């Protein structure tokens, strides 16, 4: 079947289409009610079904006779470790951990936070929670205690699972003190903290709520899978919001399983038994969907990679892993390819490895610039596929569906709408725009299975943020346009969320932190283009009247503040002092104008600006600091 035929079926008769896709997974109770609505009128899929995500990921394949297939390859250049686990071995680890969690009082309907580096035990923890119906919330290990505390207070976990340390290239990061500090900061107090001692030398301060991971696992009986209803929250994953408070995206179990099976087969074109590698982190949605649940549900071998594309030990790491583990399909962020390109511009490392197993390279997490795409295709002559999706969607929304039909690539475009997503471009007043007219990227309801169910404990915010701007549509928060052939081009966020190396971060939250500095009168944090990371934050600061502080000192203190409260992932390096910020006459800071100035883009001066002279002032400051396009 060709792409267009499959896509048309999904849009013209979504209920029948997704009923057929539901047959691709094993249900404990097969759903008869394919599409319905919740009490607010929001679409629900497979409401009367029951299943278990851990069963689909592990037990089913063992029951089918594939227990000795490799399920997980742990490749850690930072600890010089490669370890392989069969499906039988993963099930044993997961089922015993699940039994241990039950012994700690966890049960279906409870929540747990997982704060771990990229190690197999992070995956075991996710699957163990899923096995017993506990909703997990994975928090990226790069986040500081303040960020972890916010998530503790929002999802109220009974248990936190963590490790003694993570490794950032060549630096040991002690996780346990960070967890202890977060618990001190949080109002909600988890009952237990399960700690995996990696024995790498990190300090592990003992608290009375601590439980040793290994003792818990090896002292426990294996737990069976607990059937859960389709709409049972498999996980809550926090993503940056424009208010500064993270949003807990709620993912269901049944619709997500169907969508992931569909994704692996139809989008990524991966066959059961093949090796699939998503070079991301379990703290992000890519890790949930395409390191853990997607590949394992599709009976693929998945790779847990603890390292970086460069400096672990060098820019050859990706190519070594592809050759060594016979990777068929890979997924990474354009940032990773840009980092490799910078270290190895002529692709000398690439020539040293046999990459014949690799047939497709997928790129996502941020916009892929044309130069990066072309560099990759020049050195590795396979399809390099840019595609687009969000934490909220949970799986790709725009792509070249390699398991259906390989369509011509248009650099700058993420491809065409994926089956199930009726993507439109709307103008400010809700009118649908024509070819090459830029507007808001929206999806006509119903969204397909596997997309967000709600925001954790905040349905009002869910409705306001995604469903109220355009009635009958999901608002993506991104701008873009379609061309005459329905290829979709995403031009970027229309709010104050920026994308740093594939990590969505709130500039509003950074502004709050910058503004808390005693010398700052007001400030604006914007995302500006960066050759390596896609975007990086820039802080423009107005100091208090009469405040005598050196620029270098202020920059150092603000960078330190942001690092302490958000984490190094924020990548704030540049802080500039300005006399004033451009504003409308009503006092609103013109952030879009600031971004355009910093990025060297053409812009129209808003008629509402209070003083046009400020534009030259900002340009002069950026020129002196050699920032953005003024380098």
């Amino acid at each position: 079947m060709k792409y267009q035929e499959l896509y048309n079926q999904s849009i013209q008769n979504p209920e029948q289409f997704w009923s057929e896709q539901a047959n691709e997974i094993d249900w404990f109770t097969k759903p008869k009610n394919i599409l319905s609505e919740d009490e607010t009128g929001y679409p629900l899929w497979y409401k009367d079904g029951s299943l278990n995500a851990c069963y689909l990921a592990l037990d089913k394949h063992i029951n089918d006779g594939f227990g000795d297939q490799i399920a997980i390859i742990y490749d850690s250049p930072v600890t010089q470790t490669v370890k392989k686990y069969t499906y039988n071995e993963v099930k044993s680890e997961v089922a015993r951990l699940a039994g241990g969690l039950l012994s700690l009082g966890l049960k279906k309907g409870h929540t747990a936070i997982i704060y771990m580096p990229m190690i197999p035990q992070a995956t075991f923890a996710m699957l163990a929670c899923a096995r017993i119906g506990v909703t997990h919330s994975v928090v990226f290990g790069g986040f500081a205690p303040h960020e972890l505390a916010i998530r503790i207070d929002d999802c109220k976990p009974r248990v936190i699972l963590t490790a003694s340390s993570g490794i950032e290239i060549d630096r040991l990061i002690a996780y346990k003190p960070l967890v202890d500090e977060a618990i001190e900061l949080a109002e909600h107090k988890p009952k237990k903290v399960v700690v995996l001692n990696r024995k790498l030398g990190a300090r592990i301060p003992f608290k009375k709520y601590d439980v040793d991971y290994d003792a818990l696992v090896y002292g426990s009986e294996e737990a069976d899978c607990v059937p859960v209803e389709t709409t049972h929250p498999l996980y809550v994953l926090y993503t940056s919001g424009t208010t500064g408070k993270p949003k807990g995206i709620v993912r269901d179990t049944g619709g997500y399983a169907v969508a992931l099976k569909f994704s692996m087969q139809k989008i990524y074109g991966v066959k059961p038994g093949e090796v699939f590698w998503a070079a991301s982190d379990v703290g992000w949605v890519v890790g949930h969907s395409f390191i853990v649940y997607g590949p394992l549900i599709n009976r693929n071998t998945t790779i847990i990679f603890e390292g970086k594309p460069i400096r672990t030990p060098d820019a050859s790491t990706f190519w070594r892993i592809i050759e060594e583990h016979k990777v068929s399909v890979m997924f990474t962020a354009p940032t990773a390819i840009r980092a490799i390109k910078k270290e190895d511009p002529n692709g000398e490392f690439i020539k040293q490895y046999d990459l014949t197993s690799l047939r497709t390279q997928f790129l996502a997490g941020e916009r892929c610039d044309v130069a990066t795409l072309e560099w990759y295709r020049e050195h590795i002559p396979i399809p390099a596929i840019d595609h687009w999706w969000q934490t909220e969607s949970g799986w790709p929304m725009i792509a070249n569906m390699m398991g259906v039909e390989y369509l011509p690539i248009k650099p700058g475009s993420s491809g065409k709408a994926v089956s199930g997503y009726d993507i439109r471009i709307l103008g400010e007043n809700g009118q649908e725009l024509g070819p090459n007219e830029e507007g808001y990227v929206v999806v006509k309801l119903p969204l397909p299975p596997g997309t967000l169910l709600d925001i954790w404990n905040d349905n009002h915010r869910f409705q306001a943020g995604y469903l109220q701007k355009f009635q009958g549509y999901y608002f993506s928060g991104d701008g873009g346009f379609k061309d005459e052939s329905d290829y979709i081009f995403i031009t970027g966020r229309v709010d104050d969320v920026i994308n740093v190396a594939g990590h969505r971060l709130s500039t509003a939250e950074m502004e709050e932190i910058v503004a808390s500095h005693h010398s700052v009168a007001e400030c604006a944090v914007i995302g500006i283009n960066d050759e390596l990371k896609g975007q990086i934050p820039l802080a423009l600061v107005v100091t208090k009247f009469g405040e005598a502080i050196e620029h270098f000192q202020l920059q150092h203190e603000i960078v330190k503040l942001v690092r302490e409260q958000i984490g190094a992932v924020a990548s704030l390096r540049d802080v500039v002092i300005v006399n004033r910020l451009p504003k409308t006459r009503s006092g609103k800071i013109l952030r879009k104008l600031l971004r355009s100035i910093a990025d060297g883009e053409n812009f129209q001066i808003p008629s509402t600006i209070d003083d046009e002279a400020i534009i030259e002032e900002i340009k002069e400051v950026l020129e002196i600091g050699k920032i953005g396009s003024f380098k």
Side-chain angles (χ1 to χ4, degrees):
M1 188 182 291
K2 297 287 189 182
Y3 158 79
Q4 199 62 53
E5 185 183 352
L6 188 75
Y7 180 75
N8 289 347
Q9 283 181 10
S10 74
I11 300 304
Q12 291 163 7
N13 196 339
E15 201 163 343
Q16 182 185 331
F17 183 87
W18 290 110
S19 176
E20 291 170 4
Q21 301 310 320
N23 294 329
E24 296 294 316
I25 66 165
D26 278 22
W27 300 81
F28 295 155
T29 306
K30 197 165 183 181
K32 294 176 183 172
N33 190 347
I34 303 302
L35 179 59
S36 58
E37 293 181 344
D38 67 12
E39 59 275 9
T40 70
Y42 186 67
L44 292 177
W45 292 96
Y46 315 124
K47 187 177 180 180
D48 56 345
S50 73
L51 73 169
N52 183 281
C54 183
Y55 176 87
L56 295 176
L58 302 175
D59 302 63
K60 179 195 184 306
H61 309 315
I62 293 167
N63 295 343
D64 289 348
F66 296 100
D68 291 331
Q69 182 194 312
I70 300 298
I72 291 173
I73 299 172
Y74 169 52
D75 193 306
S76 171
V78 294
T79 60
Q80 299 183 344
T81 304
V82 174
K83 187 170 182 180
K84 299 180 180 181
Y85 297 82
T86 65
Y87 274 95
N88 281 325
E89 289 168 336
V90 175
K91 184 201 165 188
S92 177
E93 292 279 349
V94 167
R96 281 184 294 166
L97 177 56
L101 295 178
L102 288 173
S103 74
L104 297 180
L106 277 176
K107 61 183 181 182
K108 181 188 169 189
H110 289 162
T111 56
I113 275 181
I114 299 165
Y115 184 76
M116 283 185 164
M118 279 296 289
I119 53 178
Q121 289 80 5
T123 300
F124 300 161
M126 293 167 73
L127 292 166
C129 288
R131 193 171 188 84
I132 57 174
V134 169
T135 300
H136 64 67
S137 184
V138 183
V139 178
F140 175 59
F143 278 130
H146 169 74
E147 290 292 310
L148 179 56
I150 291 171
R151 289 152 175 79
I152 290 170
D153 279 336
D154 195 63
C155 79
K156 297 180 170 47
R158 290 177 70 91
V159 171
I160 295 178
L161 295 102
T162 190
S164 54
S165 63
I167 302 174
E168 186 68 23
I169 301 179
D170 55 3
R171 185 168 61 96
L172 202 65
I173 300 171
Y175 275 34
K176 183 57 170 45
L178 302 178
V179 171
D180 291 337
E181 186 181 338
I183 290 172
E184 276 188 41
L185 290 170
E187 290 182 19
H188 172 81
K189 306 299 180 186
K191 294 187 181 303
K192 297 291 180 184
V193 175
V194 179
V195 186
L196 173 74
N197 186 353
R198 299 187 69 191
K199 302 183 173 90
L200 297 174
R203 187 169 65 91
I204 313 174
F206 179 78
K207 300 284 184 179
K208 61 183 179 182
Y209 48 60
D210 288 349
V211 176
D212 181 74
Y213 179 100
D214 289 329
L216 182 69
V217 170
Y218 298 112
S220 299
E221 296 291 319
E222 292 192 5
D224 289 329
C225 293
V226 173
V228 300
E229 59 274 17
T230 300
T231 54
H232 176 77
L234 176 62
Y235 64 78
V236 178
L237 182 58
Y238 288 88
T239 184
S240 292
T242 55
T243 63
K245 182 190 176 187
K247 298 175 290 191
I249 301 301
V250 179
R251 189 81 61 216
D252 73 351
T253 302
Y256 189 51
V258 172
L260 292 181
K261 182 77 172 177
F262 180 81
S263 298
M264 295 302 295
Q265 294 182 343
K266 303 298 186 186
I267 298 172
Y268 297 110
V270 193
K271 301 177 185 69
E274 292 187 317
V275 180
F276 180 85
W277 180 26
S280 182
D281 190 287
V282 291
W284 310 117
V285 71
V286 174
H288 285 62
S289 296
F290 298 117
I291 294 176
V292 183
Y293 292 108
L296 295 179
I297 287 172
N298 198 47
R299 192 171 55 77
N300 295 116
T301 299
T302 186
I303 296 176
I304 306 287
F305 171 60
E306 188 182 25
K308 299 287 183 184
I310 58 173
R311 295 180 60 200
T312 61
D314 53 38
S316 71
T317 299
F318 275 16
W319 322 128
R320 188 266 302 168
I321 291 174
I322 291 166
E323 178 188 81
E324 191 172 316
H325 304 310
K326 301 290 184 285
V327 176
S328 295
V329 178
M330 185 184 174
F331 177 150
T332 193
T335 298
I337 304 302
R338 283 195 289 267
I340 293 169
K341 175 186 168 188
K342 186 178 179 183
E343 295 283 314
D344 185 24
N346 299 318
E348 296 301 327
F349 280 125
I350 297 172
K351 299 168 189 171
Q352 299 172 21
Y353 292 90
D354 177 2
L355 306 181
T356 52
S357 68
L358 188 67
R359 65 172 178 270
T360 320
Q361 173 73 64
F362 281 86
L363 299 162
E366 57 185 304
R367 281 186 69 198
C368 183
D369 58 287
V370 175
T372 298
L373 202 63
E374 288 178 347
W375 181 87
Y376 188 96
R377 287 158 62 183
E378 176 191 343
H379 294 287
I380 306 177
I382 61 168
I385 308 294
D386 187 15
H387 65 320
W388 176 82
W389 49 297
Q390 302 177 309
T391 302
E392 290 86 345
S393 70
W395 59 287
M397 303 167 79
I398 303 170
N400 201 320
M401 297 182 67
M402 295 299 288
V404 179
E405 179 186 7
Y406 178 29
L407 298 174
I409 291 172
K410 290 190 179 182
S413 169
S414 304
K416 295 192 176 189
V418 166
S419 300
Y421 290 98
D422 187 355
I423 296 178
R424 312 280 181 96
I425 308 296
L426 301 185
E428 191 66 52
N429 298 319
Q431 75 279 20
E432 191 162 358
L433 301 179
N436 301 307
E437 290 187 284
E438 187 175 342
Y440 296 103
V441 178
V442 302
V443 186
K444 192 173 190 301
L445 297 179
L447 292 174
T451 51
L452 76 169
L453 199 63
D454 203 344
I455 289 178
W456 187 255
N457 289 332
D458 201 343
N459 184 259
H460 173 75
R461 192 177 182 195
F462 169 63
Q463 298 282 337
Y466 299 107
L467 304 177
Q468 286 178 2
K469 187 172 180 67
F470 300 107
Q471 288 298 316
Y473 293 91
Y474 162 84
F475 173 48
S476 73
D478 276 318
F481 63 91
K482 288 184 184 182
D483 70 6
E484 299 82 354
S485 306
D486 284 335
Y487 278 77
I488 303 170
F489 295 74
I490 301 296
T491 54
R493 299 295 296 175
V494 296
D495 58 21
D496 293 320
V497 174
I498 63 172
N499 198 318
V500 181
H503 305 154
R504 281 179 64 186
L505 298 168
S506 167
T507 53
E509 186 177 10
M510 286 189 223
E511 278 186 14
E512 285 181 27
I513 296 166
V514 174
S516 71
H517 189 282
H518 59 81
S519 296
V520 174
E522 62 176 344
C523 65
V525 177
I526 58 170
I528 62 172
N529 291 335
D530 180 73
E531 188 179 332
L532 182 61
K533 297 191 175 186
Q535 280 184 302
I536 55 171
L538 164 67
L540 296 100
V541 169
V542 178
T543 56
K544 290 177 181 173
F545 182 74
E547 191 76 26
I549 185 168
E550 291 288 336
H551 173 240
F552 175 79
Q553 182 187 345
L554 182 64
Q555 176 169 289
H556 172 75
E557 290 175 4
I558 285 174
V559 168
K560 186 167 179 279
L561 265 178
V562 172
R563 178 179 281 265
E564 284 172 352
Q565 295 192 46
I566 294 180
V569 68
S571 295
L572 178 66
R573 295 191 305 268
D574 293 324
V575 178
V576 296
I577 297 174
V578 295
N579 291 326
R580 52 190 178 145
L581 294 167
K583 295 179 183 177
T584 62
R585 294 186 188 92
S586 61
K588 183 180 178 184
I589 296 171
L590 294 164
R591 291 177 177 80
K592 187 177 180 184
L593 175 64
L594 285 169
R595 283 195 297 270
S596 297
I597 294 170
D599 289 337
E601 295 174 349
N602 292 327
F603 58 85
Q604 283 190 321
I605 299 172
S607 58
T608 54
I609 194 168
D610 60 357
D611 186 354
E612 287 187 24
I614 194 171
I615 293 171
E616 292 305 318
E617 293 175 19
I618 298 291
K619 281 183 179 178
E620 186 180 344
V621 170
L622 297 179
E623 201 167 350
I624 291 169
K626 294 184 168 50
I627 288 168
S629 63
F630 296 90
K631 283 180 180 173

